[in-house]
Amino acid sequence: MKHDDLDNLLKPVIGALGLELLGLEFAPHRTNALLRIYIDAPGRTVTIEDCEAVSREVSATLDVNDPIKSHYTLEVSSPGIDRPLFAPEHFARIVGHEAKVQVNVPIDGRRRFQGPVRAVEGTRITLEQDGNAVAIEHGNIQKANLIGEIAGRQPKKGTRHGR
């Protein structure tokens, strides 16, 4: 099953619980694959009860639809302090805050970037790296995370939102 198919199958199930599917990671393996689902609770902290409810509903949905043919382990998680960034809108929420991004195809010889998110325009994310703006197409991002921050910390000055 494709990543997008899993996402489309599970998003309404999780949404019906009043939660948001941030993203998922599927790591196939010969003996036991791993399906990790990241959820968020808009306006509040994700609780253990939220994770348990999502786990029950997602397990039932996967049992009925059987999209994963191998044995797998299901993990449901809150985004945590190093919140994964799966979509351009996730970057738009953190403009001014630092992110760590790993790309598939190198940009100016680099595959890893870390710095404040300066703008998001469509699918293009602009990060500041060593004082220079670096534009990264979302499709080129292999993995991205918010750099853990202290709650309530304000973003750095000089940021702008672009959509």
Side-chain angles (χ1 to χ4, degrees), residues 14-22 39-54 76-80 83 93 151:
I14 294 168
L17 296 170
L19 300 165
E20 176 187 1
L21 171 61
L22 281 181
I39 60 171
D40 204 358
R44 64 177 179 82
T45 303
V46 172
T47 65
I48 297 279
E49 292 78 16
D50 292 329
C51 292
E52 289 171 347
V54 168
V76 178
S77 178
S78 69
R83 171 181 290 266
R93 293 178 194 164

Side-chain angles (χ1 to χ4, degrees), residues 101-113 124-125 127 129 133-138 140-141:
V101 176
Q102 185 174 338
V103 296
N104 294 308
V105 178
I107 299 170
D108 296 330
R110 291 182 78 140
R111 285 189 184 264
R112 295 171 194 219
F113 300 89
R124 182 176 302 156
I125 292 98
L127 234 66
Q129 176 72 51
V134 178
I136 303 170
E137 273 301 320
H138 183 261
N140 189 25
I141 295 176

Side-chain angles (χ1 to χ4, degrees), residues 68-87:
I68 302 171
K69 301 303 177 197
S70 63
H71 293 286
Y72 64 92
T73 299
L74 173 63
E75 288 184 11
V76 178
S77 178
S78 69
I81 195 164
D82 291 326
R83 171 181 290 266
L85 305 167
F86 293 101

